[in-house]
Amino acid sequence: DAKTTQPTSMDCAEGRAANLPCNHSTISGNEYVYWYRQIHSQGPQYIIHGLKNNETNEMASLIITEDRKSSTLILPHATLRDTAVYYCIVRAQDDKIIFGKGTRLHILP
Amino acid sequence: ETGVTQTPRHLVMGMTNKKSLKCEQHLGHNAMYWYKQSAKKPLELMFVYNFKEQTENNSVPSRFSPECPNSSHLFLHLHTLQPEDSALYLCASSQNRGGGTDTQYFGPGTRLTVL
């Protein structure tokens, strides 16, 4: 079973920041938070991951709360090509990746 | 472009056919994976290979037979499949299974239809 809870769907206006929440209240100390996305009929794309500290890369920022029970993925300037299903995954280093249902993000023109 | 390629991208086969799916990674990784994604279901891990050795088989029926001749190539041999095996088959690779944060990078998938 997925260890995370995400909203089923979200809308975001093009050019605005998209903030995707994820709850992982049972996360263990050695578990990382990973984010992937899957554009229709394509393979999942790795976005970012983190353990405790906030992380940023060329695609997105990951904000993890101090108690690590929730996190937010931020796409700073959403484009139509960011329309996808976004998966928040909690896993230890050698654990399987277990994909839940994710959040279907619609970017609106 | 993730550095993981899969061929063919689409495949239609009858239940009596034998076919193979191919995956190649250009990332210098040592671990490779096969996943199955059926319509409206989450991804299911099928097989894991680490340094060419199979380390996981998640109760996959024997009509699916993986082969890993080297760390860069992974095959999935298919025979006597059923219509319910129709799905998107995804290959992934990671640096090592057993070290580091093991981020997996996925290929584009093969869309398989069994008639």
Side-chain angles (χ1 to χ4, degrees), chain A residues 3-5 22-28 33 35 62-65 67-72 88-90:
Chain A
K3 301 178 184 178
T4 61
T5 304
C22 180
N23 286 325
H24 31 80
S25 57
T26 61
I27 191 169
S28 300
V33 180
W35 283 84
L62 173 60
I63 309 298
I64 303 174
T65 57
D67 63 8
R68 301 185 72 237
K69 293 186 176 182
S70 65
S71 61
T72 301
C88 171
I89 298 159
V90 163

PDB file of all heavy atoms in Angstrom, chain A residues 3-5 22-28 33 35 62-65 67-72 88-90:
ATOM      1  N   LYS A   3       2.117   4.795   1.059  1.00  0.00           N
ATOM      2  CA  LYS A   3       2.175   5.376   2.393  1.00  0.00           C
ATOM      3  C   LYS A   3       1.840   6.854   2.359  1.00  0.00           C
ATOM      4  O   LYS A   3       2.102   7.564   3.323  1.00  0.00           O
ATOM      5  CB  LYS A   3       3.581   5.200   2.947  1.00  0.00           C
ATOM      6  CG  LYS A   3       4.034   3.750   3.029  1.00  0.00           C
ATOM      7  CD  LYS A   3       5.452   3.664   3.529  1.00  0.00           C
ATOM      8  CE  LYS A   3       5.953   2.251   3.535  1.00  0.00           C
ATOM      9  NZ  LYS A   3       7.359   2.148   3.977  1.00  0.00           N
ATOM     10  N   THR A   4       1.293   7.317   1.269  1.00  0.00           N
ATOM     11  CA  THR A   4       1.044   8.744   1.104  1.00  0.00           C
ATOM     12  C   THR A   4      -0.402   9.005   0.734  1.00  0.00           C
ATOM     13  O   THR A   4      -1.097   8.136   0.205  1.00  0.00           O
ATOM     14  CB  THR A   4       1.940   9.322  -0.002  1.00  0.00           C
ATOM     15  OG1 THR A   4       1.632   8.664  -1.244  1.00  0.00           O
ATOM     16  CG2 THR A   4       3.411   9.106   0.311  1.00  0.00           C
ATOM     17  N   THR A   5      -0.845  10.220   1.007  1.00  0.00           N
ATOM     18  CA  THR A   5      -2.179  10.680   0.629  1.00  0.00           C
ATOM     19  C   THR A   5      -2.037  11.959  -0.168  1.00  0.00           C
ATOM     20  O   THR A   5      -1.376  12.907   0.294  1.00  0.00           O
ATOM     21  CB  THR A   5      -3.045  10.936   1.871  1.00  0.00           C
ATOM     22  OG1 THR A   5      -3.099   9.757   2.661  1.00  0.00           O
ATOM     23  CG2 THR A   5      -4.466  11.307   1.450  1.00  0.00           C
ATOM     24  N   CYS A  22       1.261  16.636  -0.178  1.00  0.00           N
ATOM     25  CA  CYS A  22       1.325  15.208   0.077  1.00  0.00           C
ATOM     26  C   CYS A  22       1.420  14.978   1.577  1.00  0.00           C
ATOM     27  O   CYS A  22       2.236  15.611   2.245  1.00  0.00           O
ATOM     28  CB  CYS A  22       2.538  14.604  -0.632  1.00  0.00           C
ATOM     29  SG  CYS A  22       2.732  12.825  -0.390  1.00  0.00           S
ATOM     30  N   ASN A  23       0.579  14.099   2.080  1.00  0.00           N
ATOM     31  CA  ASN A  23       0.649  13.716   3.496  1.00  0.00           C
ATOM     32  C   ASN A  23       1.299  12.356   3.635  1.00  0.00           C
ATOM     33  O   ASN A  23       0.956  11.412   2.912  1.00  0.00           O
ATOM     34  CB  ASN A  23      -0.757  13.679   4.099  1.00  0.00           C
ATOM     35  CG  ASN A  23      -1.307  15.061   4.319  1.00  0.00           C
ATOM     36  OD1 ASN A  23      -0.568  15.980   4.647  1.00  0.00           O
ATOM     37  ND2 ASN A  23      -2.588  15.234   4.124  1.00  0.00           N
ATOM     38  N   HIS A  24       2.228  12.275   4.572  1.00  0.00           N
ATOM     39  CA  HIS A  24       2.923  11.000   4.839  1.00  0.00           C
ATOM     40  C   HIS A  24       3.170  10.931   6.334  1.00  0.00           C
ATOM     41  O   HIS A  24       4.319  10.940   6.795  1.00  0.00           O
ATOM     42  CB  HIS A  24       4.207  10.853   4.020  1.00  0.00           C
ATOM     43  CG  HIS A  24       4.911  12.142   3.704  1.00  0.00           C
ATOM     44  ND1 HIS A  24       5.718  12.802   4.612  1.00  0.00           N
ATOM     45  CD2 HIS A  24       4.912  12.881   2.561  1.00  0.00           C
ATOM     46  CE1 HIS A  24       6.190  13.886   4.045  1.00  0.00           C
ATOM     47  NE2 HIS A  24       5.723  13.975   2.816  1.00  0.00           N
ATOM     48  N   SER A  25       2.096  10.824   7.084  1.00  0.00           N
ATOM     49  CA  SER A  25       2.172  10.950   8.542  1.00  0.00           C
ATOM     50  C   SER A  25       2.888   9.782   9.212  1.00  0.00           C
ATOM     51  O   SER A  25       3.298   9.888  10.359  1.00  0.00           O
ATOM     52  CB  SER A  25       0.758  11.102   9.124  1.00  0.00           C
ATOM     53  OG  SER A  25      -0.038  10.005   8.744  1.00  0.00           O
ATOM     54  N   THR A  26       3.022   8.651   8.511  1.00  0.00           N
ATOM     55  CA  THR A  26       3.673   7.481   9.126  1.00  0.00           C
ATOM     56  C   THR A  26       5.105   7.303   8.641  1.00  0.00           C
ATOM     57  O   THR A  26       5.694   6.235   8.825  1.00  0.00           O
ATOM     58  CB  THR A  26       2.870   6.208   8.829  1.00  0.00           C
ATOM     59  OG1 THR A  26       2.818   6.016   7.413  1.00  0.00           O
ATOM     60  CG2 THR A  26       1.456   6.313   9.389  1.00  0.00           C
ATOM     61  N   ILE A  27       5.680   8.346   8.068  1.00  0.00           N
ATOM     62  CA  ILE A  27       7.025   8.244   7.508  1.00  0.00           C
ATOM     63  C   ILE A  27       8.039   7.895   8.606  1.00  0.00           C
ATOM     64  O   ILE A  27       7.947   8.385   9.738  1.00  0.00           O
ATOM     65  CB  ILE A  27       7.411   9.552   6.798  1.00  0.00           C
ATOM     66  CG1 ILE A  27       8.685   9.379   5.973  1.00  0.00           C
ATOM     67  CG2 ILE A  27       7.509  10.714   7.784  1.00  0.00           C
ATOM     68  CD1 ILE A  27       8.966  10.555   5.049  1.00  0.00           C
ATOM     69  N   SER A  28       8.986   7.019   8.256  1.00  0.00           N
ATOM     70  CA  SER A  28      10.032   6.640   9.203  1.00  0.00           C
ATOM     71  C   SER A  28      11.270   7.509   8.984  1.00  0.00           C
ATOM     72  O   SER A  28      11.414   8.150   7.956  1.00  0.00           O
ATOM     73  CB  SER A  28      10.418   5.170   8.992  1.00  0.00           C
ATOM     74  OG  SER A  28       9.318   4.340   9.185  1.00  0.00           O
ATOM     75  N   VAL A  33      11.340  11.210   0.705  1.00  0.00           N
ATOM     76  CA  VAL A  33      10.158  11.605  -0.061  1.00  0.00           C
ATOM     77  C   VAL A  33      10.590  11.810  -1.509  1.00  0.00           C
ATOM     78  O   VAL A  33      11.494  12.610  -1.796  1.00  0.00           O
ATOM     79  CB  VAL A  33       9.542  12.913   0.476  1.00  0.00           C
ATOM     80  CG1 VAL A  33       8.311  13.281  -0.356  1.00  0.00           C
ATOM     81  CG2 VAL A  33       9.172  12.764   1.947  1.00  0.00           C
ATOM     82  N   TRP A  35       9.311  12.407  -5.624  1.00  0.00           N
ATOM     83  CA  TRP A  35       8.226  12.829  -6.520  1.00  0.00           C
ATOM     84  C   TRP A  35       8.574  12.406  -7.944  1.00  0.00           C
ATOM     85  O   TRP A  35       9.690  12.625  -8.433  1.00  0.00           O
ATOM     86  CB  TRP A  35       8.024  14.346  -6.478  1.00  0.00           C
ATOM     87  CG  TRP A  35       7.295  14.820  -5.264  1.00  0.00           C
ATOM     88  CD1 TRP A  35       7.825  15.087  -4.035  1.00  0.00           C
ATOM     89  CD2 TRP A  35       5.893  15.089  -5.152  1.00  0.00           C
ATOM     90  NE1 TRP A  35       6.840  15.509  -3.170  1.00  0.00           N
ATOM     91  CE2 TRP A  35       5.642  15.528  -3.827  1.00  0.00           C
ATOM     92  CE3 TRP A  35       4.815  15.016  -6.041  1.00  0.00           C
ATOM     93  CZ2 TRP A  35       4.376  15.879  -3.374  1.00  0.00           C
ATOM     94  CZ3 TRP A  35       3.555  15.365  -5.602  1.00  0.00           C
ATOM     95  CH2 TRP A  35       3.339  15.799  -4.274  1.00  0.00           C
ATOM     96  N   LEU A  62      11.050  21.154  -3.408  1.00  0.00           N
ATOM     97  CA  LEU A  62      10.378  20.250  -2.479  1.00  0.00           C
ATOM     98  C   LEU A  62      10.499  20.846  -1.085  1.00  0.00           C
ATOM     99  O   LEU A  62      11.621  21.074  -0.610  1.00  0.00           O
ATOM    100  CB  LEU A  62      11.022  18.864  -2.529  1.00  0.00           C
ATOM    101  CG  LEU A  62      10.544  17.837  -1.508  1.00  0.00           C
ATOM    102  CD1 LEU A  62       9.050  17.571  -1.670  1.00  0.00           C
ATOM    103  CD2 LEU A  62      11.328  16.527  -1.657  1.00  0.00           C
ATOM    104  N   ILE A  63       9.350  21.082  -0.482  1.00  0.00           N
ATOM    105  CA  ILE A  63       9.313  21.628   0.871  1.00  0.00           C
ATOM    106  C   ILE A  63       8.803  20.529   1.803  1.00  0.00           C
ATOM    107  O   ILE A  63       7.693  20.030   1.613  1.00  0.00           O
ATOM    108  CB  ILE A  63       8.379  22.856   0.962  1.00  0.00           C
ATOM    109  CG1 ILE A  63       8.728  23.877  -0.131  1.00  0.00           C
ATOM    110  CG2 ILE A  63       8.445  23.472   2.351  1.00  0.00           C
ATOM    111  CD1 ILE A  63      10.127  24.446  -0.023  1.00  0.00           C
ATOM    112  N   ILE A  64       9.611  20.163   2.771  1.00  0.00           N
ATOM    113  CA  ILE A  64       9.245  19.119   3.732  1.00  0.00           C
ATOM    114  C   ILE A  64       9.050  19.772   5.096  1.00  0.00           C
ATOM    115  O   ILE A  64       9.913  20.530   5.552  1.00  0.00           O
ATOM    116  CB  ILE A  64      10.334  18.027   3.813  1.00  0.00           C
ATOM    117  CG1 ILE A  64      10.589  17.427   2.420  1.00  0.00           C
ATOM    118  CG2 ILE A  64       9.930  16.932   4.796  1.00  0.00           C
ATOM    119  CD1 ILE A  64      11.745  16.442   2.366  1.00  0.00           C
ATOM    120  N   THR A  65       7.931  19.503   5.743  1.00  0.00           N
ATOM    121  CA  THR A  65       7.675  20.104   7.050  1.00  0.00           C
ATOM    122  C   THR A  65       8.684  19.577   8.067  1.00  0.00           C
ATOM    123  O   THR A  65       9.276  18.500   7.894  1.00  0.00           O
ATOM    124  CB  THR A  65       6.249  19.797   7.520  1.00  0.00           C
ATOM    125  OG1 THR A  65       6.059  18.375   7.564  1.00  0.00           O
ATOM    126  CG2 THR A  65       5.219  20.420   6.595  1.00  0.00           C
ATOM    127  N   ASP A  67       8.292  18.255  10.948  1.00  0.00           N
ATOM    128  CA  ASP A  67       7.973  16.941  11.511  1.00  0.00           C
ATOM    129  C   ASP A  67       7.977  15.837  10.447  1.00  0.00           C
ATOM    130  O   ASP A  67       7.741  14.667  10.756  1.00  0.00           O
ATOM    131  CB  ASP A  67       6.635  16.959  12.248  1.00  0.00           C
ATOM    132  CG  ASP A  67       5.461  17.276  11.345  1.00  0.00           C
ATOM    133  OD1 ASP A  67       5.639  17.347  10.110  1.00  0.00           O
ATOM    134  OD2 ASP A  67       4.346  17.458  11.851  1.00  0.00           O
ATOM    135  N   ARG A  68       8.204  16.223   9.194  1.00  0.00           N
ATOM    136  CA  ARG A  68       8.301  15.305   8.048  1.00  0.00           C
ATOM    137  C   ARG A  68       7.002  14.576   7.740  1.00  0.00           C
ATOM    138  O   ARG A  68       7.008  13.625   6.977  1.00  0.00           O
ATOM    139  CB  ARG A  68       9.421  14.284   8.259  1.00  0.00           C
ATOM    140  CG  ARG A  68      10.800  14.905   8.441  1.00  0.00           C
ATOM    141  CD  ARG A  68      11.886  13.853   8.515  1.00  0.00           C
ATOM    142  NE  ARG A  68      12.100  13.260   7.202  1.00  0.00           N
ATOM    143  CZ  ARG A  68      12.011  11.961   6.923  1.00  0.00           C
ATOM    144  NH1 ARG A  68      11.708  11.091   7.867  1.00  0.00           N
ATOM    145  NH2 ARG A  68      12.235  11.522   5.705  1.00  0.00           N
ATOM    146  N   LYS A  69       5.910  15.023   8.294  1.00  0.00           N
ATOM    147  CA  LYS A  69       4.652  14.320   8.061  1.00  0.00           C
ATOM    148  C   LYS A  69       3.934  14.792   6.804  1.00  0.00           C
ATOM    149  O   LYS A  69       2.900  14.221   6.420  1.00  0.00           O
ATOM    150  CB  LYS A  69       3.740  14.471   9.282  1.00  0.00           C
ATOM    151  CG  LYS A  69       4.284  13.752  10.510  1.00  0.00           C
ATOM    152  CD  LYS A  69       3.307  13.790  11.658  1.00  0.00           C
ATOM    153  CE  LYS A  69       3.872  12.966  12.834  1.00  0.00           C
ATOM    154  NZ  LYS A  69       2.928  12.923  13.973  1.00  0.00           N
ATOM    155  N   SER A  70       4.436  15.830   6.185  1.00  0.00           N
ATOM    156  CA  SER A  70       3.845  16.260   4.925  1.00  0.00           C
ATOM    157  C   SER A  70       4.892  17.014   4.105  1.00  0.00           C
ATOM    158  O   SER A  70       5.935  17.423   4.639  1.00  0.00           O
ATOM    159  CB  SER A  70       2.617  17.145   5.152  1.00  0.00           C
ATOM    160  OG  SER A  70       2.992  18.347   5.783  1.00  0.00           O
ATOM    161  N   SER A  71       4.598  17.158   2.841  1.00  0.00           N
ATOM    162  CA  SER A  71       5.510  17.886   1.955  1.00  0.00           C
ATOM    163  C   SER A  71       4.705  18.542   0.834  1.00  0.00           C
ATOM    164  O   SER A  71       3.527  18.207   0.616  1.00  0.00           O
ATOM    165  CB  SER A  71       6.573  16.948   1.373  1.00  0.00           C
ATOM    166  OG  SER A  71       5.987  15.911   0.613  1.00  0.00           O
ATOM    167  N   THR A  72       5.346  19.457   0.141  1.00  0.00           N
ATOM    168  CA  THR A  72       4.726  20.140  -0.984  1.00  0.00           C
ATOM    169  C   THR A  72       5.719  20.211  -2.134  1.00  0.00           C
ATOM    170  O   THR A  72       6.871  20.614  -1.944  1.00  0.00           O
ATOM    171  CB  THR A  72       4.305  21.576  -0.615  1.00  0.00           C
ATOM    172  OG1 THR A  72       3.382  21.520   0.471  1.00  0.00           O
ATOM    173  CG2 THR A  72       3.640  22.271  -1.798  1.00  0.00           C
ATOM    174  N   CYS A  88       3.639  11.182  -5.245  1.00  0.00           N
ATOM    175  CA  CYS A  88       4.469  11.384  -4.062  1.00  0.00           C
ATOM    176  C   CYS A  88       4.726  10.004  -3.455  1.00  0.00           C
ATOM    177  O   CYS A  88       3.781   9.250  -3.211  1.00  0.00           O
ATOM    178  CB  CYS A  88       3.729  12.281  -3.072  1.00  0.00           C
ATOM    179  SG  CYS A  88       4.484  12.439  -1.450  1.00  0.00           S
ATOM    180  N   ILE A  89       5.973   9.670  -3.258  1.00  0.00           N
ATOM    181  CA  ILE A  89       6.328   8.316  -2.825  1.00  0.00           C
ATOM    182  C   ILE A  89       7.276   8.413  -1.637  1.00  0.00           C
ATOM    183  O   ILE A  89       8.209   9.214  -1.652  1.00  0.00           O
ATOM    184  CB  ILE A  89       7.018   7.559  -3.976  1.00  0.00           C
ATOM    185  CG1 ILE A  89       6.075   7.414  -5.161  1.00  0.00           C
ATOM    186  CG2 ILE A  89       7.524   6.199  -3.511  1.00  0.00           C
ATOM    187  CD1 ILE A  89       6.789   7.166  -6.468  1.00  0.00           C
ATOM    188  N   VAL A  90       7.001   7.601  -0.643  1.00  0.00           N
ATOM    189  CA  VAL A  90       7.878   7.530   0.531  1.00  0.00           C
ATOM    190  C   VAL A  90       8.567   6.175   0.511  1.00  0.00           C
ATOM    191  O   VAL A  90       7.910   5.149   0.409  1.00  0.00           O
ATOM    192  CB  VAL A  90       7.048   7.716   1.816  1.00  0.00           C
ATOM    193  CG1 VAL A  90       7.813   7.237   3.028  1.00  0.00           C
ATOM    194  CG2 VAL A  90       6.650   9.174   1.976  1.00  0.00           C
TER     195      VAL A  90
END
